[in-house]
Amino acid sequence: MEHDSELPPGQQRVAGDKWPLVGERESAVVPATWTLAIHGCVDHPCRWTLDELQQLPQVRPTVDIHCVTRWSKLGVSFTGVLLRDVLHAVGVDPAARYVSFESHSTRGHTSSLALETALELGTFLAWEVDGRPLPAMHGGPLRNIVPGRYFYKSVKWLCGLELLVDDRLGYWEADAGYHNEADPWREQRYLAADLDKRRLKQLLATRDFSGLDLRGFQAADRELDDLVARDAKLRDANFRGCRLQRADFRGANLSNAHFQGAKLVDAKFQGADVEGANFCQADLRGCDFSEASLFGASFVVENWQALPEDQWQAAQLTDVRLTQRQIESLATSQVAYLQRLGK
Ligand SMILES: Nc1nc2c(c(=O)[nH]1)N[C@H]1C(S)=C(S)[C@@H](COP(=O)(O)O)O[C@H]1N2
Ligand SMILES: [Mo]
């Protein structure tokens, strides 16, 4: 597929050679010999060791990684074998329509794709990155890589391939409403939760969202000062232009939330997940981001350095609590802007 830009819409490059760690940080107890089970609709269910897998023709694709929380890491080279070659060796039952990637993880993490899509995209199983063994925290000894899909389709600690007639939603897709197609060029990030109008009205009246699943919540331009949204699930929520002074978002999941132009004076974000959230033109004076996770968040337009100052859409950041480590976790252009402010 041809694209004008290297970066899909709404993505930003990570700084330098950084590779953020997202989701689970380690596998379940590692078996002495790593094996990959291939089962479901296959002619011969089997279990392969890494050695056996490595006997197949090896490929060295260069892949652009795009995380749903808006960071991209371009041009990463992996070593592995094509899913196509693995399945060819095993023999797939023509009834198989989906493939589920299974992880050796304590929560039994999985993700799935239509088999045809997975093959067309050149999905492969990788054990090396940049010529070195894949680090355990990034899925070593084996993970699948799906080029051209958000990175949540690439499962760490891959221990099984299940061929399915009917799809089985993966962990993030079922639990967090991540889009099942996950095409970054079409921004297929999340599905919205459905709320009926009465419930919506009630929530806006009480201003208490604590602990609720309100992903994709549409609240643009509302007056929501003193909102309480502790531990709420607000991924991809739209708070553009809202009044949210003193709002309490402690522990909330606000990844990819839209706060452009919001008045957030003295809002609390302690321990919140604001990865990929957009704070352009927001008033953040006095906000507290202690212990919040900020990968991919933005406070100014990405290409501000190329624009006249009146087009930077910068947030107001006086008296904001952000640590040096949090600032360094942002994308390059964001770090440069905050450093310019003397943060
Ligand atoms: N087993 C497992 N695989 C997983 C996840 C996870 O939580 N567990 N998270 C997914 C998500 S959302 C992303 S963005 C990538 C992150 O991979 P990284 O930590 O190597 O950057 O792994 C994907 N695969
Ligand atoms: Mo992700």
Side-chain angles (χ1 to χ4, degrees):
M1 211 186 293
E2 295 288 329
H3 300 285
D4 295 343
S5 152
E6 286 180 295
L7 276 183
Q11 295 294 118
Q12 301 188 59
R13 241 170 264 244
V14 290
D17 56 5
K18 201 176 293 173
W19 184 350
L21 182 60
V22 181
E24 293 177 292
R25 314 181 78 84
E26 56 188 17
S27 65
V29 179
V30 179
T33 308
W34 194 273
T35 56
L36 177 72
I38 307 162
H39 59 122
C41 299
V42 291
D43 298 341
H44 309 285
C46 56
R47 202 173 262 286
W48 287 22
T49 62
L50 281 179
D51 265 357
E52 288 165 335
L53 205 62
Q54 289 165 350
Q55 301 310 307
L56 292 172
Q58 299 193 4
V59 291
R60 292 198 163 67
T62 298
V63 175
D64 293 341
I65 295 175
H66 305 298
C67 177
V68 71
T69 56
R70 300 185 190 271
W71 59 265
S72 292
K73 183 172 171 59
L74 304 182
V76 185
S77 71
F78 292 96
T79 311
V81 291
L82 287 172
L83 176 66
R84 177 186 304 279
D85 290 339
V86 178
L87 295 183
H88 185 77
V90 176
V92 173
D93 182 326
R97 289 281 172 277
Y98 296 89
V99 55
S100 175
F101 302 99
E102 301 173 310
S103 170
H104 187 59
S105 108
T106 44
R107 66 179 180 212
H109 194 97
T110 63
S111 189
S112 69
L113 271 177
L115 182 56
E116 199 184 332
T117 309
L119 295 174
E120 271 171 12
L121 291 166
T123 298
F124 61 97
L125 318 186
W127 57 83
E128 268 180 18
V129 61
D130 293 328
R132 303 229 171 112
L134 190 62
M137 65 177 183
H138 290 304
L142 188 70
R143 83 184 289 170
N144 72 298
I145 301 281
V146 185
R149 288 294 178 267
Y150 286 125
F151 208 32
Y152 57 84
K153 293 291 178 184
S154 298
V155 163
K156 303 191 269 196
W157 319 298
L158 185 74
C159 67
L161 298 173
E162 184 176 12
L163 282 296
L164 297 164
V165 176
D166 298 308
D167 198 7
R168 182 179 307 136
L169 282 185
Y171 177 84
W172 290 115
E173 293 88 338
D175 182 75
Y178 281 31
H179 201 295
N180 199 28
E181 313 269 319
D183 183 346
W185 297 98
R186 298 163 72 185
E187 278 214 85
Q188 294 171 322
R189 296 178 199 269
Y190 305 102
L191 305 172
D194 30 80
L195 278 184
D196 63 48
K197 279 192 183 134
R198 222 178 96 241
R199 181 92 179 101
L200 181 74
K201 229 175 128 182
Q202 205 178 31
L203 283 169
L204 294 170
T206 61
R207 296 194 193 175
D208 186 358
F209 295 5
S210 298
L212 298 175
D213 182 353
L214 296 170
R215 70 188 117 88
F217 188 72
Q218 295 294 321
D221 301 314
R222 306 249 178 204
E223 210 277 88
L224 290 168
D225 284 343
D226 300 297
L227 175 77
V228 180
R230 291 198 67 162
D231 303 311
K233 294 184 180 160
L234 287 162
R235 284 191 177 88
D236 208 31
N238 181 3
F239 289 109
R240 284 172 211 254
C242 281
R243 290 181 58 101
L244 283 163
Q245 304 190 91
R246 299 170 299 276
D248 184 354
F249 287 112
R250 284 178 286 172
N253 190 324
L254 289 160
S255 48
N256 287 344
H258 308 269
F259 284 109
Q260 290 95 318
K263 295 249 175 305
L264 283 153
V265 177
D266 293 328
K268 302 184 188 74
F269 290 97
Q270 287 100 312
D273 176 347
V274 291
E275 296 178 10
N278 190 329
F279 292 102
C280 286
Q281 286 178 313
D283 188 347
L284 296 174
R285 286 174 295 168
C287 284
D288 191 341
F289 285 97
S290 308
E291 307 293 319
S293 175
L294 286 162
F295 272 117
S298 43
F299 299 95
V300 64
V301 293
E302 222 239 304
N303 56 338
W304 64 274
Q305 280 149 313
L307 298 171
E309 191 162 349
D310 62 348
Q311 289 171 35
W312 290 357
Q313 302 182 27
Q316 292 188 54
L317 291 162
T318 319
D319 295 326
V320 166
R321 294 193 60 166
L322 276 179
T323 63
Q324 209 50 42
R325 234 181 86 206
Q326 287 175 311
I327 291 174
E328 283 160 15
S329 74
L330 300 171
T332 318
S333 66
Q334 301 295 319
V335 177
Y337 180 73
L338 288 160
Q339 283 169 349
R340 186 177 183 278
L341 289 184
K343 301 267 171 204

